[in-house]
Amino acid sequence: MKKIKSIVTGGAGFIGSNLVDRLVKEGHKVIVLDNFVSGKKRNLSHHLKKNVKIFKLDISKKLKFDKYFKGANYVFHLAGLAEIVPSIKNPKKYFINNTLGTLNMLEAARKVKVDKFIYAASSSCYGSPKKIPTSETEKIDTKHPYAFTKFLGEEAVMNYAIFFGMHNISCRFFNVYGPRLNTTSQYGAVFSNFLTQKKKNKPLTIVGNGKQTRDFIHIDDLTNAFIKLSKSNLKNKIYNLGSGKETSINQIVNIIGGKKIFIPRRPGDPNRSCANIQKIQRDINWKPEISIKEGIQRLFNN
Ligand code: UDP
């Protein structure tokens, strides 16, 4: 039987490389496109060349992508620039990478007629939402260039589904955590910072009073959802992808334990965030299985 061919853009990053692991387990042949700005070779070094082919390239450049996409069944488009603060410093760079990059991937996928195109959108599109848990119908309120460029990417994905009948799905990620989180960036995600701090025996940095909440979804729950989405007949859909549970920074610090210090609030840092995940639960019969406590134990005992 012919192997399923999957393209993973940003496949050398935290989320991408975990997805590649899962796809290989499913028996797919995987093509990774990554510019290795935040992605790392070592995230994929355990794979055999025959299962995973890696190409170092920039998806926002005017390149011929067709040769990589030929014969592809699924595209998982995860490549993009993350983080809010740098996006405010350099909005155009974010626009080119996140929006134009997405358009290039859509064009390539359209030409070769892939079965499914799944896009990693961001829950940051809701800004500071009125309703929590927040459903997909909540008002869009992009408060910084990162949120704006990821949302524009989603608009392109949905419009291509309408214009060209593509089977496109956009998943609005909440706070994803798990092994291979990028621990080197200046404005690191909370778990990246806590992992580094714990390793160096430094106090955990709590921003503000630590009462702010997020919806943390474990990477294995997220990749499970992706597999189910790719196998489904769904198209032209937007889904929240979170755990549906709200956890404060103080709760996380208490689970991890040890010393802590308080540091100033970040610009645009929302007080609360939690996904309403009824839509995706209903449509693909999926539910998150890893509690925050178990996820933290797995991450810190590694
Ligand atoms: N945060 C924290 N300590 C850190 C890093 C982040 O308390 O060392 C807080 C941050 O202010 C935010 C939450 O943790 O309220 C999640 O931050 P992250 O950057 O991981 O995600 P985002 O803010 O983009 O949801």
Side-chain angles (χ1 to χ4, degrees), residues 205-271:
T205 49
I206 301 178
V207 169
N209 60 14
K211 285 185 183 161
Q212 70 272 33
T213 62
R214 292 292 186 273
D215 177 327
F216 293 97
I217 176 165
H218 192 274
I219 182 70
D220 291 352
D221 281 329
L222 184 135
T223 51
N224 265 341
F226 263 37
I227 298 293
K228 287 197 160 201
L229 284 170
S230 63
K231 287 179 182 167
S232 75
N233 291 321
L234 299 163
K235 56 178 176 180
N236 199 4
K237 298 269 187 194
I238 295 171
Y239 294 110
N240 281 342
L241 198 37
S243 67
K245 301 244 160 57
E246 208 178 345
T247 308
S248 74
I249 303 307
N250 288 330
Q251 280 173 296
I252 291 172
V253 169
N254 286 339
I255 297 173
I256 301 171
K259 293 173 285 181
K260 54 190 179 186
I261 52 163
F262 292 87
I263 61 170
R265 274 313 273 269
R266 292 171 168 184
D269 198 5
N271 265 332

